[in-house]
Amino acid sequence: MESLTLDTALQGNQGKDLETVKKLNLWASDLNDVSLVKEMPNLEILVLSANNISSLKDIQFCENLRELYLRNNKIKSLNEIYYLKGLKNLKILWLDENPCSYSKNYRLSVIKNLKNLEYLDNKPITEEEVKQAFEAGLEYNNPTDSIEEYEKLILPLNNYENENSNGFKSIEETEKTYFDSTNGLENDESK
């Protein structure tokens, strides 16, 4: 997996610096890190389909972005769309074939959060969908909703479980032992 580099970003663009890049096609480039896009404030079209992108956090800085193609990446959490909410010029988003696109109310939640979108996954957004999104779509208002933050919160629990596998009983094992011993005592007393 690769990170987006300055050479790659400027390749094919007549600009001599990142601020002049308006279109960037990085289709199937095996990228997992596109943090360099933060330095491209004039970027209007960004193609990142068929890569290994897992977060949209860096894209939030591309304030002039109109079209964003992210089909077939590794975006797990639909909460990541929070980072696109400030992109008022974003009209076209293609997010299909990411794990998050299989979430319940996926389309309605994206429409609810990205109110200026006109196309989602190569399909026009209808007035009826906008009405449905208002009622059934989920709202994402906090960056701590993102999968990265979730994983940070879960990590201490995973460490705790790992420590318990080194000689300590888990809560489940302790409850089972207690339950078994209590049942055993009750059975002994009834004899």
Side-chain angles (χ1 to χ4, degrees):
M1 289 191 236
E2 301 287 325
S3 295
L4 176 60
T5 64
L6 179 62
D7 289 340
T8 305
L10 294 178
Q11 183 180 12
N13 286 291
Q14 281 71 33
K16 297 184 186 217
D17 60 40
L18 294 173
E19 290 187 10
T20 60
V21 176
K22 291 190 175 199
K23 297 177 185 178
L24 190 57
N25 186 348
L26 300 166
W27 183 84
S29 298
D30 199 31
L31 295 172
N32 66 337
D33 177 3
V34 292
S35 56
L36 193 61
V37 299
K38 293 188 287 191
E39 299 176 38
M40 300 180 200
N42 295 308
L43 194 59
E44 295 177 2
I45 300 172
L46 180 57
V47 179
L48 292 171
S49 294
N51 279 289
N52 296 301
I53 308 300
S54 61
S55 178
L56 304 177
K57 190 172 186 174
D58 296 320
I59 297 170
Q60 70 182 319
F61 300 99
C62 302
E63 296 174 356
N64 291 308
L65 202 60
R66 292 183 293 117
E67 299 178 25
L68 179 57
Y69 301 92
L70 289 160
R71 187 178 62 83
N72 193 19
N73 272 283
K74 308 232 185 276
I75 302 165
K76 294 178 185 176
S77 174
L78 193 52
N79 298 334
E80 288 288 327
I81 63 171
Y82 167 82
Y83 294 112
L84 304 180
K85 289 178 80 166
L87 303 180
K88 303 302 180 196
N89 296 318
L90 188 61
K91 303 295 182 201
I92 298 172
L93 176 63
W94 200 330
L95 197 55
D96 197 22
E97 297 179 49
N98 278 279
C100 69
S101 68
Y102 303 105
S103 301
K104 183 179 179 181
N105 291 327
Y106 156 74
R107 187 168 173 87
L108 297 178
S109 295
V110 173
I111 293 169
K112 183 173 187 168
N113 285 273
L114 305 178
K115 296 171 178 39
N116 294 322
L117 275 187
E118 296 173 3
Y119 285 85
L120 176 59
D121 299 332
N122 206 30
K123 296 176 187 168
I125 295 171
T126 66
E127 286 297 320
E128 182 62 29
E129 285 180 307
V130 172
K131 290 176 188 174
Q132 289 175 344
F134 182 75
E135 295 173 15
L138 298 174
E139 183 80 32
Y140 300 107
N141 290 316
N142 192 325
T144 59
D145 291 341
S146 77
I147 192 71
E148 287 176 353
E149 294 300 320
Y150 176 75
E151 287 173 348
K152 286 179 187 173
L153 294 172
I154 294 303
L155 185 60
L157 293 176
N158 290 340
N159 287 340
Y160 175 76
E161 289 173 6
N162 290 338
E163 287 173 11
N164 285 341
S165 66
N166 295 329
F168 297 101
K169 290 183 180 179
S170 69
I171 293 171
E172 292 82 11
E173 290 176 277
T174 304
E175 287 175 346
K176 184 179 182 321
T177 303
Y178 175 76
F179 179 75
D180 289 345
S181 67
T182 304
N183 284 342
L185 290 176
E186 289 174 3
N187 289 338
D188 287 339
E189 291 175 7
S190 64
K191 289 183 181 179

